[in-house]
Amino acid sequence: MSDSPPTDPLAGSPFLAACRCEPHDRIPVWFMRQAGRSLPEYLAIRGTGSILEAVGDPDRATEITLQPVRRYGVDAAILYSDIVVPVHAIGFGVEIKPGVGPVAENPFRSAADLERIRPLEPDVDTPYVLETVRRLVAELNPHGVPVIGFAGAPFTVASYLVEGGPSRDWLKTKSLMHGDPDLWHQLMGRLADMAIVSLESQIEAGARSIQLFDSWAGALTVSDYRQFVMPHSVAIFDAVADLGVPRIHFGVTTGELLSSMGEAGADVVGVDWRTPLSIARQRVGTDKALQGNLDPAIVNAPWPAVEAAVRAVVAENAGHPGHVFNLGHGVMPSLDPDALKRIVELVHSLDPGGSTPPRP
Ligand code: CP3
């Protein structure tokens, strides 16, 4: 028996190294929305009920999280859950309609609705999430694969609660933001507190990275973002800063917001496909990592085109150690799993120092 301390099985994780801009021997890759939708093995076990039922069942949620890791050989596993799970769990009254997304029958409209957003107690309200994280950690860490926990950022979650469902213009959300800033900040503060305790509990259960999804933040002007949204995201990143896990911050059409999103406190900034990584790097700075940014809509194109696009993303990164390869947004249900697998193999064959030809 040796007295030496047990070594961390994730010490060699290329994903964790890239998040910290440390050298690593292969470009790490995972896909947002990798768990589910496009995988036949997902549809086989998901069941016909709401996704919230599958999330509430650690057996199914664990298996669904593992499926893409097995199939694609990705470098990280994203927990199978959803950004509205905490607000659902505290009884706000939000469901996820298949093919639609989160829907709230009684949307958030006035100060009286604040009472419907009580603090989250993860052990009591979402014990199934923590059980799933613990099972995943036990299963994956020995193989060197970290689990990414996540939360919805206050703005993106608020947009569902205020609109009552998915929106293209965020009219009611922006009306509330500008019409009653005080109420807006109270709503955002409550949602930020929920995100904080949720993320803390996932990290406590063993998640080794977290991602804050502010998917729809790109709908805002820079000045609205900085005034109405950023302080709450700053509070979240600050609260988990000392827990020792890399923090990823993601949104879509955020080209103009990238520097602010980095400034909010993330270690890694997600970039959608519209902004080349070289430009994102100028905006975010060279001390943070970037995540992205293959256009998900080209994955089903003929392979030579996909290969060229993957190589172009890696070339744009120009050998910076802080690059986690991903899509610019999530996997769509119709994407070809075989193409995604081939993308993982290609990314892994490229030199993290640049876009050199694949190894023989
Ligand atoms: O694979 C993963 O990324 C892990 C699990 C995950 C889900 N949702 C499962 C899910 C994650 C990280 C999310 C986050 C999420 N949920 C976001 C942020 C990420 C992003 O894509 O921008 C947002 C905006 C939501 C809200 C939400 N939930 C939407 C817009 C939808 C899609 C509705 C649809 O069916 O097209 C959902 C449902 C959802 N969440 C599904 C999955 C696998 C599909 C549900 C199903 O199987 O019926």
Side-chain angles (χ1 to χ4, degrees):
M1 289 268 285
S2 149
D3 287 340
S4 57
T7 48
D8 179 359
L10 297 180
S13 157
F15 167 77
L16 293 177
C19 287
R20 299 188 171 110
C21 299
E22 290 166 1
H24 47 281
D25 59 10
R26 75 180 194 201
I27 303 171
V29 48
W30 70 280
F31 301 122
M32 291 180 280
R33 299 198 201 145
Q34 67 189 15
R37 295 183 247 216
S38 69
L39 292 183
E41 60 267 38
Y42 168 70
L43 299 173
I45 69 158
R46 179 195 169 287
T48 50
S50 160
I51 173 194
L52 293 170
E53 281 168 35
V55 167
D57 171 6
D59 285 341
R60 262 187 293 169
T62 302
E63 174 58 20
I64 290 169
T65 307
L66 293 173
Q67 285 173 343
V69 181
R70 278 190 214 116
R71 186 188 262 261
Y72 301 132
V74 282
D75 296 283
I78 178 104
L79 171 71
Y80 180 76
S81 181
D82 196 85
I83 59 167
V84 297
V85 163
V87 275
H88 169 75
I90 58 149
F92 182 86
V94 50
E95 294 297 330
I96 299 182
K97 289 215 170 127
V100 177
V103 174
E105 208 175 301
N106 294 309
F108 185 97
R109 284 291 137 77
S110 69
D113 293 316
L114 279 174
E115 278 169 32
R116 297 165 62 201
I117 309 179
R118 66 158 171 84
L120 179 75
E121 293 179 68
D123 290 338
V124 180
D125 296 319
T126 51
Y128 43 87
V129 169
L130 304 181
E131 176 61 18
T132 302
V133 174
R134 283 190 288 267
R135 290 190 196 182
L136 288 167
V137 166
E139 181 81 27
L140 290 171
N141 281 19
H143 300 285
V145 177
V147 174
I148 306 173
F150 71 90
F155 171 75
T156 293
V157 175
S159 76
Y160 288 108
L161 304 189
V162 175
E163 302 291 337
S167 173
R168 281 169 189 274
D169 49 26
W170 295 277
L171 198 67
K172 297 186 182 78
T173 311
K174 292 182 183 182
S175 297
L176 175 65
M177 179 187 277
H178 286 271
D180 193 343
D182 188 48
L183 178 58
W184 171 259
H185 282 295
Q186 288 189 61
L187 168 61
M188 294 289 278
R190 288 193 188 210
L191 295 175
D193 288 345
M194 291 182 80
I196 289 169
V197 293
S198 175
L199 292 171
E200 285 172 341
S201 70
Q202 293 174 56
I203 295 167
E204 161 91 357
R208 290 289 292 267
S209 173
I210 57 97
Q211 178 154 327
L212 189 68
F213 282 98
D214 212 350
S215 301
W216 315 136
L220 298 168
T221 64
V222 176
S223 110
D224 282 357
Y225 178 78
R226 295 186 71 90
Q227 184 180 349
F228 294 112
V229 174
M230 191 171 151
H232 304 284
S233 300
V234 168
I236 296 169
F237 285 119
D238 277 359
V240 297
D242 292 336
L243 299 181
V245 308
R247 300 156 299 166
I248 310 170
H249 198 181
F250 171 78
V252 193
T253 55
T254 50
E256 297 303 319
L257 300 180
L258 286 172
S259 64
S260 301
M261 289 180 75
E263 202 185 318
D267 304 294
V268 185
V269 176
V271 185
D272 88 358
W273 64 95
R274 297 170 181 89
T275 310
L277 290 184
S278 59
I279 293 181
R281 182 95 54 203
Q282 286 169 17
R283 295 178 180 176
V284 169
T286 53
D287 57 334
K288 290 187 192 294
L290 298 179
Q291 178 171 279
N293 68 344
L294 182 71
D295 183 349
I298 69 155
V299 167
N300 287 358
W303 175 250
V306 179
E307 174 170 3
V310 169
R311 286 174 180 274
V313 168
V314 173
E316 274 288 326
N317 179 60
H320 191 290
H323 178 218
V324 176
F325 193 98
N326 206 314
L327 303 176
H329 197 185
V331 174
M332 301 132 170
S334 52
L335 293 195
D336 175 9
D338 291 338
L340 291 168
K341 185 170 168 55
R342 228 169 148 182
I343 289 169
V344 172
E345 288 166 357
L346 173 60
V347 171
H348 281 165
S349 75
L350 298 173
D351 186 333
S355 59
T356 55
R359 295 187 197 115

